[in-house]
Amino acid sequence: MDRSRRNLLKTGAAGAALATAAVGYSGVLGKMSQGQWAGERPPSALHGKSLAPEFQVDAITGAITPNPDQRTAFTMCMGCTTFCGVRLRIDRQSGDVLRVAGNPYSPLSADPALPWETPVEEALHSLSRHGKRGLEGRSTACGRGAAVLEQMRSPHRVTQPLKRVGPRNGGEWQPISFEQLIEELVEGGDLFGEGHVDGLRAIRDLDTPIDPERPELGPRANQLAVIDAANDGGRAFAQRFSRLAFGSQNYAGHGSYCGGAYRSGSAAMFGHLRQMPHAKPDFRHADFVLFIGTAPGNAGNPFKRQGRQIADARSDAGRNFEYVVIDPVLTHAGNKPSAHAGRWVPIKPGTDGAMAMALIRWILDNKREDQTYLAQPNPDAAEAAGEASWSNATHLVVQTPGDRRDGRMLRAADLGLGSDEQYVVLPDDGDEPVAHDRLTGPARRYFRGQVTTADGESLTVATSLTLLREAAEQHTLAEYSAICGIPEQTLIDLADTFTRHGKRAAANTHGGMMAGNGFYNAWAVVMLNTLIGNLNCKGGTVVAGGRYPEVAPGPRYNLVDFPGKVAPRGRHVSRNSQPLTDRPVEAPWFPVAPNLTVELFSSALDGYPYGLKALFLRNANPLYGIPGMAKHLEEKLRDPGRIPLLVSIDPFMNETSAYADYVVPDTFMYEAWGWAAPWAGVPTRVTTARWPAVESPNARTAEGSPVCMESLFIGLAKAMDLPGFGDDAIPDADGRLHPLHRPEDYYVRAGANVAWADDPVPEVNDTELALSGVDHIRPVLEDCLKPEEWRRVAYVYARGGRYEDEARAFEGTKTRHRFGGPMHLYREEVGTASNGLMEERFPGTPTWYPARFADGSKVAEHYPEPEWPAQLISFKSPLQNSYSIAVKRLRQLHPDNPVLVHPEDAARWGLRNGQSVRITTPGGSETAIVQLRRGVQRGVIAVEHSFGHKELGARQHRIGDQDFGGEGALAAGLNLNDLGLADPTRSGSSVWVDPVAGSTVRQGLPARITPA
């Protein structure tokens, strides 16, 4: 039978079925067409129970008439850490948020975004059908962003300060006043009937060393630490208290248990191991993208922007765009209607580095790298050659074992050619070494040989590119193929395709790098970008365009300096960021890593290098988020003798809050102040405003502020008379001091810096104040700001932030906002470092580095494959996040997370679809439901993140005489982190972390699965 005949029969059958349905349900269909339904009659025959529009547009004149029962607010979403700009619809009577949509000014929500100076009335026009512009100008929120507003009125919210009654994690709490909270935290005492607890006043000792025999550890003030979850616009405020006023060195974010391996590996290439810069593909102009350990539409940041741009690119027949997702699990990146544009290549977990080194080897063997780019030894030479960035590919590295300079970059001072700030290269047409910044043309890319120092010593040296090539040559393509599970020809095809698009190709990665070798996996992946010289290029990779700085020395208010500001000193408790000096060591050090939440806990609980006396958690939930922590560190966390004062600041009772001594409520979503910016992926300048569009249900302070992170730190600082808070706290441009008694005193003045950055913005008019909803905070603006300031700041709030026009993103084929430093094929800080437990130094260039433990031993030496035939991995949920499980609308769509296994593995392991199974790792054992899916690499057990909660309302607590929580449905599913490993080569408290980056391991856990 021919295809047209078969399709005709199918159509006919479908038509007959519809006709039958129409006859059988004619009465129902008739009622539906007339707006008649069983039960309550909807308000509108056409729109049913949908919300009344927020405004109406006159079809003839275009005049906008706002709905008098609603108001609007342009602000920031907190559904994930992309921090998209959104537009709220708020009921004027109840004060509730009715709906969330996108902000048309924000490049994170609209593509393209409206020019920033577009009047608000015209912005609203662009969202309507007037002039047939609605679809063209639409700006959206993702499914999660649209749903999580439900949590603002959740019965599981903490709205008043709580003090534990009984042991930690006992589930019994006493509500207390804000004043009692401040008094007890500052003064301490026998707070729980368990003995004396030092308060913050006693802990803040800036003169007495923690250990007189080790003064390098710093003063006792370092025994306060603060951990936060993400920079949602409030991090600078929290650091103002903990670092600049209190004087503690210890402040850590969540990166070490989120995407820290990628960020550190990228930072090695960018050369800033503390700030951890990174780049993302320019999806709008790229021709080819490799997604490795991440997937568009499912993960990555900016989540929504990249998903939309990829969808547009693959549906545009004129683009000829292609992408490949290399990942152990196929998520939402696959799409059959656009299969011509994207495909999935499965890979063994934790072997991304082998795959990337295979591509690097093929590229170098076949001379497919950008040779002109890699030959430029300095930025001036690169500019003259027409390049948008440069690298240290030609810089010489000392390779003389036993010499004090072994592993260091060769300096011009070593050869008597200049200073220690200058490196050494060989001209492309000569053999005489020269300082890298004195060469005006290309330098030699490949060299291994001898040079003579100013003292007459002979040193063996090699260029950075030579060392990278030698690292790639340690294995053949066939060996790399066997390691990563990707056929050799596929590796060749990937390398060939990647290098066929000039600079309009990019390699992108993120959370999939969180393996026991994630640092080197990530460095190898991003090195592919450097080999084609695509940084700062249209269609290549781009760094964030930056922000309009709010926490800055000005131009209106100095929020960086203040009278009495403290400069923290000493070593981080998490044993990071500074060269290793301890020998021998009790636990590994991480000299090239940033502050590490994971190691902060193990250090504090074991007292090495010193202990903590107080720990504040700000919206952080490490017990849920760190693989292995709940299993291996919980018992010590329960002991108040280890960390005597534990305070959680959070809108909810999370898994870690349950162990706190005090739980302090925080403002949530659209109740809070803040200023945020995208991580990367937006090449223009962006500063997104977060402001309290609705009232918080939290208890109030004496000043009338909601109890939250800011009011807590203000109260503590004022009680202790710390600098930077109280009456004379914030200097303006003229040196006059202004008060900091309320959160708005800080954030609104930060908004003045945003409004005056570069050229001052216009003043808002009353029409825009009303249409944007900013008239809701007009009294605050007028109270905090000078008469000439408040309307300009309101202009920024009326647009939900300040956004550079997207037309300014590029200058020809190069980005306007460029990363100016070199890309590092070799990084001296890495190549000369050790963690103190391994005998050897770390490799200084990307290489295949099998997953290992802290002492350098490989995982298979401890957990052989025959005993552990599967590998456990995590992947992101496109709907849920780590705290959204209580959102009913999301749970109705996706109530739990069955684990995914390939059907061939299921047959081998005796599993059936939908069966209850037991998953066991060396770290523990949990039950789950299995789902068979061919979109999983063989040998893999894939677990979607964000489920398996024990708190957030799942467990019942007792607050005073009231029950709190106990909604069992919130505990559905499995949390992979409950199966995380301890490091078998370490003594004391530990979980398995990457030996270089200190990031946790959740990809490639040795496991087995059996019927339950």
Side-chain angles (χ1 to χ4, degrees), residues 7-337:
N7 288 342
L8 178 63
L9 290 176
K10 287 181 178 179
T11 305
L18 287 173
T20 301
V23 172
Y25 293 92
S26 58
V28 175
L29 293 174
K31 292 178 180 179
M32 288 174 63
S33 68
Q34 300 170 32
Q36 296 179 19
W37 303 77
E40 180 184 353
R41 182 183 180 90
S44 168
L46 180 62
H47 300 294
K49 291 187 176 182
S50 63
L51 291 175
E54 60 194 295
F55 60 88
Q56 293 183 339
V57 182
D58 188 286
I60 298 175
T61 66
I64 285 181
T65 303
N67 185 332
D69 297 325
Q70 298 179 22
R71 58 182 172 87
T72 300
F74 294 79
T75 183
M76 187 181 89
C77 180
M78 277 292 297
C80 73
T81 54
T82 299
F83 305 141
C84 294
V86 291
R87 188 179 84 260
L88 308 182
R89 295 168 62 181
I90 302 166
D91 183 271
R92 286 187 181 274
Q93 183 174 355
S94 68
D96 290 337
V97 179
L98 301 173
R99 184 164 294 172
V100 179
N103 178 354
Y105 294 107
S106 170
L108 293 167
S109 292
D111 189 36
L114 286 179
W116 184 69
E117 292 190 356
T118 301
V120 173
E121 186 170 10
E122 188 175 330
L124 297 179
H125 264 292
S126 75
L127 302 171
S128 73
R129 293 190 61 198
H130 187 257
K132 299 182 180 180
R133 297 173 60 186
L135 290 179
E136 177 184 323
R138 66 178 177 174
S139 182
T140 59
C142 71
R144 177 170 53 216
V148 291
L149 65 91
E150 178 187 319
Q151 288 185 291
M152 298 182 67
R153 295 294 180 260
S154 169
H156 306 305
R157 279 194 65 172
V158 175
T159 60
Q160 56 190 327
L162 305 177
K163 178 182 178 180
R164 71 172 167 91
V165 177
R168 284 184 179 173
N169 197 36
E172 297 281 341
W173 304 90
Q174 172 191 354
I176 61 174
S177 68
F178 183 73
E179 291 72 22
Q180 180 182 342
L181 173 73
I182 296 298
E183 171 74 16
E184 294 186 3
L185 292 180
V186 170
E187 304 302 341
D190 187 4
L191 302 176
F192 307 99
E194 300 164 346
H196 180 80
V197 176
D198 278 351
L200 295 180
R201 191 185 303 280
I203 297 170
R204 188 184 185 260
D205 183 340
L206 297 173
D207 301 315
T208 306
I210 294 171
D211 183 346
E213 296 184 3
R214 300 191 62 193
E216 73 276 9
L217 297 180
R220 290 181 179 176
N222 283 343
Q223 291 185 289
L224 165 71
V226 176
I227 296 172
D228 77 5
N231 191 6
D232 59 357
R235 177 171 291 174
F237 190 99
Q239 291 184 336
R240 182 184 182 94
F241 171 79
S242 68
R243 289 178 53 80
L244 307 183
F246 195 93
S248 174
Q249 186 74 278
N250 291 304
Y251 194 104
H254 79 304
S256 61
Y257 60 99
C258 179
Y262 158 61
R263 295 295 299 274
S264 287
S266 176
M269 187 177 78
F270 277 82
H272 289 268
L273 289 158
R274 308 295 178 267
Q275 293 82 13
M276 298 193 297
H278 65 295
K280 291 288 184 181
D282 172 22
F283 295 112
R284 184 177 290 171
H285 303 103
D287 292 334
F288 181 74
V289 177
L290 286 174
F291 291 93
I292 303 165
T294 187
N298 215 84
N301 195 323
F303 169 74
K304 184 175 63 179
R305 175 181 167 90
Q306 75 167 18
R308 181 168 181 169
Q309 290 186 333
I310 291 294
D312 288 345
R314 69 187 185 188
S315 62
D316 184 350
R319 278 281 300 272
N320 198 28
F321 171 78
E322 294 181 78
Y323 68 94
V324 176
V325 176
I326 304 173
D327 196 90
V329 60
L330 173 63
T331 52
H332 286 72
N335 188 294
K336 286 189 176 180

Side-chain angles (χ1 to χ4, degrees), residues 562-583:
F562 50 84
K565 171 184 169 183
V566 178
R569 55 191 173 87
R571 287 189 169 259
H572 299 284
V573 70
S574 52
R575 310 184 307 281
N576 61 278
S577 299
Q578 292 134 326
L580 175 65
T581 56
D582 283 28
R583 294 286 184 175

Side-chain angles (χ1 to χ4, degrees), residues 556-907:
R556 300 298 294 181
Y557 296 93
N558 189 341
L559 294 176
V560 174
D561 299 304
F562 50 84
K565 171 184 169 183
V566 178
R569 55 191 173 87
R571 287 189 169 259
H572 299 284
V573 70
S574 52
R575 310 184 307 281
N576 61 278
S577 299
Q578 292 134 326
L580 175 65
T581 56
D582 283 28
R583 294 286 184 175
V585 299
E586 296 179 27
W589 287 69
F590 303 90
V592 300
N595 285 354
L596 301 171
T597 293
V598 182
E599 292 301 321
L600 184 150
F601 273 99
S602 62
S603 294
L605 294 173
D606 287 348
Y608 174 76
Y610 56 88
L612 294 179
K613 291 190 174 183
L615 174 61
F616 283 64
L617 302 166
R618 176 183 171 253
N619 295 334
N621 191 6
L623 207 66
Y624 176 81
I626 295 177
M629 183 172 173
K631 172 77 173 181
H632 305 294
L633 304 184
E634 183 271 344
E635 184 177 348
K636 290 182 178 179
L637 190 63
R638 190 189 294 267
D639 178 5
R642 302 276 182 168
I643 303 176
L645 189 58
L646 182 58
V647 181
S648 175
I649 309 165
D650 201 284
F652 301 95
M653 181 71 69
N654 67 40
E655 281 79 2
T656 314
S657 303
Y659 287 80
D661 301 313
Y662 297 88
V663 178
V664 183
D666 204 3
T667 44
F668 182 62
M669 295 291 287
Y670 309 121
E671 305 161 2
W673 297 94
W675 297 93
W679 291 6
V682 181
T684 50
R685 295 175 75 184
V686 173
T687 298
T688 302
R690 188 181 183 197
W691 54 280
V694 296
E695 296 298 316
S696 170
N698 291 358
R700 291 299 199 264
T701 68
E703 289 80 10
S705 298
V707 176
C708 60
M709 177 270 289
E710 290 90 350
S711 59
L712 172 67
F713 287 152
I714 290 171
L716 293 172
K718 290 169 65 174
M720 297 174 64
D721 198 24
L722 297 184
F725 295 85
D727 289 331
D728 298 319
I730 300 174
D732 65 15
D734 298 323
R736 291 192 295 268
L737 295 174
H738 299 267
L740 178 44
H741 294 294
R742 306 165 300 171
E744 51 264 42
D745 292 336
Y746 178 87
Y747 290 108
V748 169
R749 291 188 175 97
N753 286 341
V754 174
W756 258 263
D758 300 334
D759 297 322
V761 305
E763 292 189 346
V764 75
N765 58 47
D766 288 345
T767 299
E768 291 201 340
L769 274 176
L771 288 175
S772 65
V774 175
D775 53 0
H776 183 68
I777 58 169
R778 177 173 178 168
V780 173
L781 299 179
E782 291 183 305
D783 180 55
C784 292
L785 297 171
K786 301 172 184 177
E788 69 272 21
E789 293 175 338
W790 79 263
R791 281 191 179 271
R792 298 186 193 275
V793 175
Y795 187 93
V796 176
Y797 279 120
R799 287 151 177 79
R802 188 170 180 182
Y803 307 104
E804 183 179 26
D805 289 350
E806 292 190 88
R808 293 175 53 83
F810 294 94
E811 296 173 333
T813 61
K814 301 175 184 177
T815 56
R816 178 180 298 273
H817 305 290
R818 303 174 198 170
F819 184 85
M823 296 294 95
H824 290 76
L825 284 74
Y826 181 91
R827 186 61 188 160
E828 175 183 271
E829 285 179 88
V830 179
T832 57
S834 168
N835 72 354
L837 294 182
M838 297 182 187
E839 294 183 3
E840 71 277 5
R841 299 194 309 246
F842 297 132
T845 195
T847 188
W848 166 236
Y849 193 81
R852 60 192 70 199
F853 293 114
D855 70 345
S857 59
K858 297 176 183 177
V859 177
E861 297 174 24
H862 299 267
Y863 307 114
E865 185 175 342
E867 297 179 27
W868 306 94
Q871 289 185 292
L872 192 62
I873 69 162
S874 169
F875 67 96
K876 275 212 172 174
S877 170
L879 280 179
Q880 295 284 6
N881 63 31
S882 59
Y883 55 85
S884 64
I885 191 64
V887 178
K888 292 181 181 178
R889 282 187 283 181
L890 295 181
R891 288 207 319 280
Q892 288 169 351
L893 294 171
H894 197 23
D896 59 10
N897 63 337
V899 300
L900 308 181
V901 170
H902 195 281
E904 293 179 11
D905 288 330

Side-chain angles (χ1 to χ4, degrees), residues 387-450:
E387 298 293 342
S389 64
W390 63 291
S391 79
N392 74 346
T394 60
H395 296 194
L396 295 172
V397 183
V398 178
Q399 297 287 284
T400 308
D403 188 271
R404 61 180 175 80
R405 292 160 289 203
D406 185 46
R408 293 179 60 242
M409 306 299 299
L410 185 66
R411 263 55 173 199
D414 294 326
L415 305 186
L417 300 175
S419 71
D420 275 336
E421 303 300 317
Q422 297 168 296
Y423 303 106
V424 179
V425 297
L426 295 171
D428 198 33
D429 56 357
D431 295 322
E432 291 298 320
V434 62
H436 83 284
D437 56 357
R438 293 180 182 173
L439 199 62
T440 59
R444 289 171 68 173
R445 293 175 295 117
Y446 292 108
F447 177 80
R448 177 177 279 277
Q450 308 296 312

